[in-house]
Amino acid sequence: MNDSMLKKIRLRDGVFAPRQKINREVTIPTCIQRCEETGRLKAFKLEWKPGDPDEPHIFWDSDVAKVLEGMAAALMLEPDPALEKQLDELVELVIGAQQPDGYLNTHFTQVEPEKRWQNVSGMHELYNAGHLMEAAVAYFQATGKRNFLDAMCRYADHIGSVFGREPGKKRGYPGHEEVELALVKLAEASGNKRYLELADYFIRERGREPNYYVEHENSPRKTLIRVQAHKPLLEQTKADGHAVRAMYFFAGAADVARETGAKDLFQAVERLFRNVVEKRMYITGGIGSATVGERFSVDYGLPNDTAYTESCAAIGLALFAKRMLDFTGEAGYADVLEQVLYNNGLSGISLAGDTFFYCNPLEATVATFEPTSPVREKWFGCSCCPTNYCRFLPRLGLFCADAAPEKLRIDIPAAMNVSLPEYEVEVKGDYPYDGRISVRIVRGGEFTLALRIPGWCRDHRLELNGKCSDVSPENGYWQCRRIWQAGDEIRFTMEMTPEVIYANPNVPADAGKAAVRRGPVVYCLESVDNPGILLHTVRIPAHPEFQECPADGLPEGTLALHFRGEAVRTVAGGPLYSANAPEYVPAELCAIPYMLWQNRGPAAMQTFLLVR
Amino acid sequence: MNDSMLKKIRLRDGVFAPRQKINREVTIPTCIQRCEETGRLKAFKLEWKPGDPDEPHIFWDSDVAKVLEGMAAALMLEPDPALEKQLDELVELVIGAQQPDGYLNTHFTQVEPEKRWQNVSGMHELYNAGHLMEAAVAYFQATGKRNFLDAMCRYADHIGSVFGREPGKKRGYPGHEEVELALVKLAEASGNKRYLELADYFIRERGREPNYYVEHENSPRKTLIRVQAHKPLLEQTKADGHAVRAMYFFAGAADVARETGAKDLFQAVERLFRNVVEKRMYITGGIGSATVGERFSVDYGLPNDTAYTESCAAIGLALFAKRMLDFTGEAGYADVLEQVLYNNGLSGISLAGDTFFYCNPLEATVATFEPTSPVREKWFGCSCCPTNYCRFLPRLGLFCADAAPEKLRIDIPAAMNVSLPEYEVEVKGDYPYDGRISVRIVRGGEFTLALRIPGWCRDHRLELNGKCSDVSPENGYWQCRRIWQAGDEIRFTMEMTPEVIYANPNVPADAGKAAVRRGPVVYCLESVDNPGILLHTVRIPAHPEFQECPADGLPEGTLALHFRGEAVRTVAGGPLYSANAPEYVPAELCAIPYMLWQNRGPAAMQTFLLVR
């Protein structure tokens, strides 16, 4: 996942590109303001004294780092001197808090200076470090300025002097993974292989016996699984524990596997990826289904109402899937990536870019109004999700294509322009709402062009310069190497009709139900479009007749689906239990993309519907 | 709820009576042993010193008290010199821990003597006191011995010197209600009205502004609702917060209303009772549906899998319903009481009497194995439920009838013998599995005999000495006053056929589903009887043909229901999401009473089933 590719891919579609604009104009400034208001920025001045308000919290640094990273990524998309100046100043503020030995953490430097590295299982020190490193790499790539990168190399050197297998060092590893993948980025940007070795150490040491957390930090053994430290990665067969941590951990391990060629690590993460997508993922790409603890539950334990499905976990799954995709070139990983991006990946942030879901349930009814809020919030005490969007949205283009001089791989055919010294290619169309796209060569050259045949697609047709191509797909991609000429055009038509999709019958929550999906987009019913009926009672036929219509009050181009079903009318009171079956009436239903729900005021919502 | 009536009612049925026997032979001895092993008994010796193991916990006293109360209640059912001797010794042990000023609490006396009454919102002091008082009253009624009762009067006097509206007293009230109803019992047993006044004070002071917990114990305002202290009882319209606390609170308020004639209190608890049974109760009589916090959720928020439905909460609802029934004489309250007793009221304890459920979900699938355990446990860290059964089971007869010299009210026609100086009556039959019962006068006299027409019963026939009676029911009871002769007999036939019962359509968890009920008994499918199919996929027709058969491996007389439906076969693997509908196959289904599930090994279980 090379951020420098950000400069080469410019999205022009109707779903992702507007989010990038809003991120620059609203989300980033809003998050900076919240960091200012809450004391997160001030904390880097190191002026806090015991008794002062706004005591620097253990995860504050990460929020600031993620906003900085988002600003740098936004600059790579589009130069902006004012934004760059603001970023330069924030970078100066942040690196001004670095200690002579390279350490940088506003909480421990000010609040508990004597407790540095004493509780890595619980105190997020290495997690913050990782986010700062990711921000530094992005800043370097965006601006060419080395100050932040150099500071983070010094920090990484310090961390390497504290942790490792050598005598006198702590054999610890982060309680919240993140620094592993950051160290791989740092190694690449700085050219210093030691950071890769440190990442490798953190990944392989985790969960070994004697267990570091148990021996040195008094962790009860039963808590180890929450942080994936219950056994070594190579022995883990199920994605367990805190979902965001698991994703960052596995993504980092995939990075190390790629950089070091370690097959054992690759096999481990490949197995864990399969466990996620075969048994522990919602149809929306959401993960972490346990009501409590932001964590994975059990295989097939996927309740729709109490789904935790943290926005950051979906982002984490996208990061993991992207690495597996780049590593293997297999379209199956792009299918998952796409499933995340067009559903849970965007549902966590409002279209206006200023409010956020922490949890992304698939159903919001009276019964869910308690554990999960159906209204997006401006900020959270633990505000990881808003700042994660700051850095996730500018990177959406990276998830759509991989552009190397020898090969352009189009994973998600959103409208975009890909420009390298070697060639320039334009993808046009209204994907994901229209299955017809064209790929046009703007500036030619010899390279392989690979175009993914989506897993959801039952039938497709591909024409190269007007002639039908019957090249057999490789790894799920139509692939063609030639000397491309300007004006060459591929017309790719994917059959895209609404479908009724069933969960595996082992999923108790979805028994007797199905969801509606069109292409990669999962649909849901929202009460605002379906007044007067109880959404959770809606029953649809196994083969509804769908009509595709513009969606009311949602961005131009958004398709709503109209179809017939039946439902119970909204009623107040009545006996709680009765031998009389509820009365169903015919209902004209309207479904909208799940990723856009709750953008027109609070509403009940239902994704899985009863099937007659 | 007068325990002395226990001596008059002897159950002889096939459901309740065996539980009473097991309680005496297994549950009580087992709980005494656990209290011994865990240090709960030793704590009353007041020999604990800081640093010693088994630090007396804040709620330990209540567990011991409930076992003592259960022993006393068992003695009222049947004299047993050995049991009485053991009880005498335990009573001596307990009252030996009383302080000169009347105070009795093993935690505060030994662990935090300086913190007495400093944190009544959180430290269960008054809750323990209440259970000790209830035990003392039962011991006095069972044995006529006054030592425990007198000790508890001194304790109540002490409490009355600490709490109240008079200058210099604390205007506090218990964080966990219980002492209110205990004080009413103590007032009745001791003849001292002051205890009733103290109960009235605790009930009416609760939740008033300025809020005592906020002002004096630093409770955050948002936590008040959990302990029903967010507003005064008279202003509460919904049953909120911790379910057991709510039940004990409302039951105590009903007691005070009855004893003082306070209409305002009665109207408040009547309103809250309606909220529970109309919007917040499972079909099993379970309450407290929130996954976390042992508390009520929202109206119609009744998930089947993550239902908390604590055993103690069902017991609490029985206590509340019984009081409302005795107060009003209205059969509707007996309907709820019966719904609790034959379902959630007994599901929490194994037939063997030695293992317990804390939670009683209506569905146990892969998805529920996490939040709630599908296996009964021998004991819990917070072991309120096992000891609550010790005192609940001996009282089952009290819930079935109210026997006064002027009137015998038969609420639940389980086979039993009711004997007073004024008359003796025998109820025969195999209720609740057979709707045909007879009430025979063994020893005659002039009194009113009232027989409840159950709310679940669509049709019934009543014959008095062979002649059909067409007396119109009053308050849901067939009632007849006469000079009864020995040999008079009422034959009462209730139509009792299996029925498909729907939840109110506002309950999201039950949309498209229904439960099977026969008479008052709710049925469920257990995997042990239905191998090879995924229970949560079971679909039944709206009008199944039921066959009634003996239940395999369950007590003689237990009826299983056989009927046809369809289901998906147990399968491993397969895609997580697919356009292919799961394949249903015909299934011969076997349902057993919900109250008896998980008595034949761990099993998946399903109460609400999809309806075609």
Side-chain angles (χ1 to χ4, degrees):
Chain A
M1 182 132 180
N2 190 331
D3 280 344
S4 60
M5 205 181 287
L6 266 179
K7 295 173 181 168
K8 305 173 188 165
I9 303 170
R10 178 69 49 89
L11 288 165
R12 304 201 185 282
D13 70 318
V15 172
F16 293 152
R19 300 283 192 151
Q20 295 187 322
K21 182 165 182 284
I22 284 286
N23 184 48
R24 179 188 291 252
E25 292 173 0
V26 177
T27 314
I28 288 175
T30 302
C31 284
I32 293 175
Q33 196 189 336
R34 300 259 180 273
C35 285
E36 180 92 50
E37 290 164 1
T38 56
R40 279 163 166 83
L41 292 183
K42 197 174 55 185
F44 284 95
K45 292 188 180 165
L46 302 187
E47 292 168 355
W48 185 87
K49 297 277 176 305
D52 287 354
D54 298 335
E55 179 181 301
H57 191 277
I58 57 161
F59 51 59
W60 275 9
D61 294 359
S62 69
D63 289 327
V64 174
K66 285 189 286 183
V67 178
L68 265 52
E69 189 187 342
M71 293 167 83
L75 280 179
M76 281 188 260
L77 288 185
E78 194 176 317
D80 179 335
L83 181 66
E84 184 167 342
K85 179 162 178 293
Q86 189 181 22
L87 176 56
D88 290 344
E89 288 167 8
L90 287 171
V91 164
E92 285 300 331
L93 172 70
V94 166
I95 61 180
Q98 189 165 33
Q99 301 301 293
D101 61 357
Y103 186 80
L104 205 175
N105 184 298
T106 63
H107 173 82
F108 281 98
T109 301
Q110 298 172 89
V111 184
E112 307 182 278
E114 73 290 359
K115 292 205 177 156
R116 258 199 210 184
W117 308 127
Q118 299 298 308
N119 179 1
V120 287
S121 58
M123 295 303 275
H124 287 40
E125 258 170 311
L126 288 163
Y127 169 79
N128 288 314
H131 277 303
L132 287 166
M133 290 173 196
E134 283 205 89
V137 171
Y139 181 65
F140 170 64
Q141 287 170 333
T143 66
K145 295 169 192 166
R146 296 196 61 96
N147 53 340
F148 198 2
L149 185 71
D150 290 343
M152 286 305 103
C153 287
R154 287 196 301 278
Y155 194 4
D157 293 338
H158 168 73
I159 292 170
S161 75
V162 173
F163 294 96
R165 293 199 187 87
E166 296 78 14
K169 291 187 182 178
K170 292 174 187 287
R171 292 187 68 151
Y173 35 84
H176 193 314
E177 301 93 322
E178 152 65 24
V179 77
E180 300 86 344
L181 66 86
L183 283 165
V184 178
K185 284 187 175 184
L186 195 66
E188 195 190 358
S190 69
N192 188 337
K193 282 268 179 193
R194 273 186 302 152
Y195 306 141
L196 178 63
E197 287 161 18
L198 187 56
D200 185 78
Y201 157 77
F202 279 137
I203 285 164
R204 292 183 182 273
E205 189 61 25
R206 186 170 210 90
R208 285 214 181 156
E209 291 299 332
N211 189 286
Y212 181 81
Y213 294 162
V214 173
E215 298 291 317
H216 299 281
E217 302 194 347
N218 289 317
S219 291
R221 216 159 250 286
K222 67 175 179 180
T223 64
L224 298 178
I225 195 169
R226 180 172 153 79
V227 294
Q228 294 86 36
H230 53 308
K231 50 174 118 163
L233 177 65
L234 299 184
E235 295 171 22
Q236 294 184 25
T237 55
K238 288 175 187 282
D240 278 316
H242 189 270
V244 178
R245 297 178 205 220
M247 291 302 104
Y248 290 0
F249 179 34
F250 303 158
D255 281 340
V256 170
R258 184 191 65 234
E259 294 296 319
T260 65
K263 285 200 180 133
D264 57 348
L265 287 183
F266 175 74
Q267 284 163 352
V269 293
E270 202 243 346
R271 186 172 61 224
L272 291 160
F273 189 90
R274 277 212 314 277
N275 176 247
V276 172
V277 302
E278 290 175 4
K279 295 182 178 168
R280 299 185 170 208
M281 182 182 70
Y282 288 92
I283 193 170
T284 55
I287 54 169
S289 60
T291 315
V292 176
E294 312 186 339
R295 62 185 171 76
F296 284 101
S297 169
V298 293
D299 286 349
Y300 302 119
L302 297 165
N304 291 302
D305 50 356
T306 58
Y308 199 86
T309 47
E310 183 180 342
S311 299
C312 285
I315 291 173
L317 179 54
L319 296 175
F320 183 25
K322 168 67 175 166
R323 281 161 170 86
M324 298 302 284
L325 170 61
D326 286 348
F327 201 171
T328 63
E330 286 172 20
Y333 293 108
D335 286 340
V336 175
L337 180 57
E338 185 180 61
Q339 191 172 4
V340 175
L341 293 188
Y342 283 124
N343 299 293
N344 198 149
L346 290 184
S347 60
I349 180 169
S350 65
L351 281 165
D354 57 350
T355 56
F356 308 87
F357 278 143
Y358 204 105
C359 303
N360 294 270
L362 279 74
E363 177 177 319
T365 65
V366 58
T368 54
F369 277 41
E370 275 222 312
T372 55
S373 161
V375 180
R376 290 196 185 79
E377 304 278 350
K378 289 193 171 178
W379 194 248
F380 305 91
C382 172
S383 213
C384 48
C385 300
T387 55
N388 227 350
Y389 273 111
C390 289
R391 68 189 195 121
F392 173 65
L393 296 175
R395 287 202 176 89
L396 287 169
L398 284 187
F399 294 114
C400 294
D402 186 74
E406 286 293 306
K407 182 172 181 177
L408 170 61
R409 198 186 70 219
I410 298 174
D411 302 314
I412 299 173
M416 62 184 146
N417 191 285
V418 181
S419 178
L420 274 68
E422 294 78 8
Y423 58 80
E424 185 177 347
V425 171
E426 189 176 40
V427 180
K428 282 190 158 181
D430 290 317
Y431 195 83
Y433 293 115
D434 192 334
R436 297 166 299 175
I437 61 131
S438 85
V439 181
R440 210 171 56 84
I441 310 300
V442 179
R443 184 156 41 75
E446 184 175 2
F447 62 98
T448 302
L449 201 155
L451 193 53
R452 166 174 157 264
I453 320 288
W456 54 259
C457 181
R458 288 164 181 271
D459 200 10
H460 67 276
R461 201 181 60 208
L462 198 144
E463 284 174 15
L464 173 54
N465 293 331
K467 284 183 199 149
C468 202
S469 163
D470 55 0
V471 174
S472 300
E474 266 177 72
N475 289 337
Y477 286 82
W478 176 88
Q479 307 208 18
C480 180
R481 183 173 188 86
R482 57 188 280 176
I483 301 171
W484 295 93
Q485 308 293 333
D488 280 351
E489 188 179 22
I490 297 160
R491 287 184 173 272
F492 183 41
T493 305
M494 295 160 269
E495 188 185 299
M496 188 186 274
T497 51
E499 283 192 297
V500 170
I501 302 290
Y502 297 85
N504 187 297
N506 286 303
V507 179
D510 296 335
K513 296 182 174 183
V516 173
R517 197 181 67 191
R518 184 178 176 280
V521 178
V522 174
Y523 278 73
C524 69
L525 299 178
E526 231 189 341
S527 50
V528 64
D529 299 306
N530 299 277
I533 56 171
L534 291 165
L535 287 191
H536 56 263
T537 66
V538 164
R539 289 200 295 222
I540 60 169
H543 304 283
E545 281 181 36
F546 291 103
Q547 280 193 301
E548 299 169 358
C549 313
D552 271 357
L554 292 173
E556 211 184 314
T558 307
L559 274 193
L561 299 177
H562 290 226
F563 50 107
R564 284 187 185 171
E566 54 186 20
V568 177
R569 284 204 192 92
T570 307
V571 285
L576 189 48
Y577 301 103
S578 153
N580 300 320
E583 190 192 342
Y584 274 77
V585 296
E588 303 287 333
L589 303 167
C590 170
I592 59 149
Y594 172 82
M595 66 176 145
L596 297 178
W597 89 278
Q598 220 276 315
N599 270 295
R600 296 167 299 171
M605 183 272 290
Q606 193 83 9
T607 305
F608 272 91
L609 312 175
L610 292 161
V611 180
R612 261 207 308 269
Chain B
M1 182 132 181
N2 190 332
D3 280 343
S4 60
M5 205 181 287
L6 266 179
K7 295 174 183 169
K8 305 172 186 164
I9 303 171
R10 178 70 47 91
L11 287 165
R12 305 203 185 281
D13 68 319
V15 173
F16 294 151
R19 301 283 192 152
Q20 295 187 322
K21 182 164 181 284
I22 284 286
N23 184 49
R24 178 189 293 252
E25 292 172 1
V26 178
T27 315
I28 287 174
T30 302
C31 285
I32 293 174
Q33 196 189 335
R34 300 259 180 273
C35 285
E36 181 91 49
E37 289 165 2
T38 56
R40 279 164 166 81
L41 292 183
K42 198 174 54 185
F44 285 94
K45 292 187 179 164
L46 302 187
E47 291 168 355
W48 184 88
K49 297 277 177 304
D52 287 353
D54 299 335
E55 179 182 302
H57 192 278
I58 58 162
F59 51 59
W60 276 9
D61 294 358
S62 69
D63 288 327
V64 174
K66 284 189 286 183
V67 178
L68 265 51
E69 189 187 342
M71 294 168 82
L75 280 180
M76 280 188 261
L77 288 184
E78 194 175 318
D80 179 335
L83 181 66
E84 183 166 341
K85 180 162 178 290
Q86 189 182 22
L87 176 56
D88 289 345
E89 288 166 10
L90 287 171
V91 164
E92 285 301 330
L93 172 71
V94 166
I95 61 180
Q98 188 165 35
Q99 301 300 295
D101 61 358
Y103 186 79
L104 204 176
N105 184 298
T106 63
H107 173 82
F108 281 97
T109 301
Q110 297 172 89
V111 184
E112 308 181 277
E114 74 289 0
K115 291 205 177 155
R116 257 198 211 184
W117 308 127
Q118 300 297 308
N119 179 2
V120 287
S121 58
M123 296 302 277
H124 287 41
E125 257 170 312
L126 288 163
Y127 169 79
N128 289 314
H131 277 304
L132 287 167
M133 290 172 196
E134 282 204 89
V137 171
Y139 180 66
F140 170 64
Q141 287 171 336
T143 65
K145 296 169 192 166
R146 295 196 61 97
N147 53 341
F148 198 2
L149 185 71
D150 290 343
M152 286 305 104
C153 287
R154 287 197 300 278
Y155 194 3
D157 292 338
H158 168 73
I159 292 169
S161 76
V162 173
F163 294 96
R165 294 200 186 85
E166 296 77 14
K169 292 188 182 177
K170 293 174 187 288
R171 292 189 67 152
Y173 36 83
H176 193 314
E177 301 93 321
E178 152 64 25
V179 76
E180 301 86 344
L181 66 85
L183 284 164
V184 177
K185 284 187 175 184
L186 194 66
E188 195 189 358
S190 69
N192 188 336
K193 282 268 181 196
R194 270 185 305 153
Y195 306 140
L196 178 62
E197 286 160 19
L198 187 55
D200 184 79
Y201 157 79
F202 280 138
I203 286 163
R204 292 183 182 273
E205 188 62 24
R206 187 170 209 89
R208 286 215 180 156
E209 293 298 333
N211 189 286
Y212 181 81
Y213 293 162
V214 173
E215 298 290 319
H216 298 281
E217 302 193 348
N218 289 318
S219 292
R221 217 158 248 286
K222 67 177 179 182
T223 65
L224 298 178
I225 194 169
R226 180 172 153 79
V227 293
Q228 295 86 34
H230 53 308
K231 50 175 120 163
L233 177 65
L234 299 184
E235 295 170 23
Q236 294 184 25
T237 55
K238 288 175 187 283
D240 278 316
H242 189 270
V244 179
R245 297 178 203 219
M247 290 303 104
Y248 289 0
F249 179 35
F250 303 159
D255 281 340
V256 172
R258 183 192 66 234
E259 293 297 318
T260 66
K263 287 199 178 133
D264 56 349
L265 286 183
F266 174 75
Q267 284 164 354
V269 292
E270 202 244 346
R271 187 171 62 224
L272 290 160
F273 189 90
R274 276 211 315 276
N275 176 247
V276 171
V277 302
E278 291 175 3
K279 296 183 177 167
R280 299 184 169 208
M281 181 182 71
Y282 289 91
I283 193 170
T284 55
I287 53 168
S289 61
T291 316
V292 177
E294 312 186 338
R295 63 185 169 75
F296 285 101
S297 168
V298 293
D299 286 349
Y300 303 118
L302 296 165
N304 291 301
D305 50 356
T306 57
Y308 199 86
T309 46
E310 184 180 341
S311 299
C312 286
I315 291 173
L317 179 55
L319 296 175
F320 182 25
K322 169 66 175 167
R323 281 162 170 85
M324 297 302 283
L325 170 61
D326 285 349
F327 202 170
T328 64
E330 287 173 19
Y333 293 108
D335 286 339
V336 175
L337 180 57
E338 184 181 58
Q339 191 172 5
V340 175
L341 294 188
Y342 283 124
N343 300 291
N344 197 149
L346 289 184
S347 60
I349 179 169
S350 66
L351 281 166
D354 58 350
T355 55
F356 307 87
F357 279 143
Y358 204 104
C359 303
N360 294 271
L362 279 75
E363 178 178 319
T365 66
V366 57
T368 55
F369 277 40
E370 277 223 311
T372 55
S373 161
V375 179
R376 290 196 186 79
E377 306 276 352
K378 288 192 171 180
W379 193 249
F380 306 90
C382 171
S383 214
C384 49
C385 301
T387 55
N388 227 348
Y389 273 111
C390 289
R391 69 187 195 120
F392 172 65
L393 296 175
R395 288 204 176 88
L396 286 169
L398 285 187
F399 294 115
C400 294
D402 186 75
E406 286 293 306
K407 181 172 182 178
L408 169 61
R409 199 185 68 219
I410 298 174
D411 303 314
I412 300 174
M416 62 184 146
N417 192 287
V418 182
S419 177
L420 275 68
E422 294 78 7
Y423 58 79
E424 185 177 346
V425 170
E426 189 177 39
V427 180
K428 284 190 158 181
D430 289 317
Y431 196 83
Y433 294 116
D434 191 334
R436 296 165 301 175
I437 61 133
S438 85
V439 180
R440 208 170 57 83
I441 309 301
V442 179
R443 185 155 39 75
E446 183 176 2
F447 63 98
T448 301
L449 201 156
L451 192 53
R452 167 175 154 263
I453 320 289
W456 55 259
C457 182
R458 287 165 181 272
D459 201 10
H460 67 274
R461 201 182 58 210
L462 198 142
E463 284 175 16
L464 174 53
N465 293 331
K467 283 185 199 147
C468 201
S469 163
D470 55 0
V471 173
S472 300
E474 265 177 73
N475 289 337
Y477 286 83
W478 177 89
Q479 308 208 17
C480 179
R481 184 174 186 86
R482 58 188 279 175
I483 300 172
W484 295 94
Q485 307 293 334
D488 280 351
E489 188 179 23
I490 298 160
R491 288 185 173 271
F492 184 42
T493 305
M494 295 161 268
E495 186 185 300
M496 187 187 275
T497 51
E499 284 193 297
V500 169
I501 302 290
Y502 298 84
N504 187 297
N506 285 303
V507 178
D510 297 334
K513 296 182 172 181
V516 173
R517 197 181 66 191
R518 185 179 176 281
V521 178
V522 174
Y523 277 72
C524 69
L525 299 178
E526 231 190 339
S527 50
V528 65
D529 299 306
N530 301 277
I533 57 171
L534 292 165
L535 287 191
H536 56 263
T537 67
V538 164
R539 289 200 296 221
I540 60 169
H543 303 284
E545 280 182 37
F546 291 102
Q547 281 193 298
E548 300 169 359
C549 313
D552 271 358
L554 292 173
E556 211 186 312
T558 307
L559 275 192
L561 299 177
H562 291 226
F563 51 106
R564 285 188 183 168
E566 53 185 21
V568 177
R569 282 203 193 91
T570 306
V571 287
L576 189 48
Y577 301 103
S578 153
N580 300 320
E583 191 192 341
Y584 274 76
V585 296
E588 303 287 332
L589 304 167
C590 170
I592 59 150
Y594 172 83
M595 66 177 144
L596 296 178
W597 89 278
Q598 219 274 317
N599 270 295
R600 296 167 298 171
M605 183 272 292
Q606 194 83 11
T607 305
F608 271 91
L609 312 174
L610 291 162
V611 180
R612 261 205 309 267

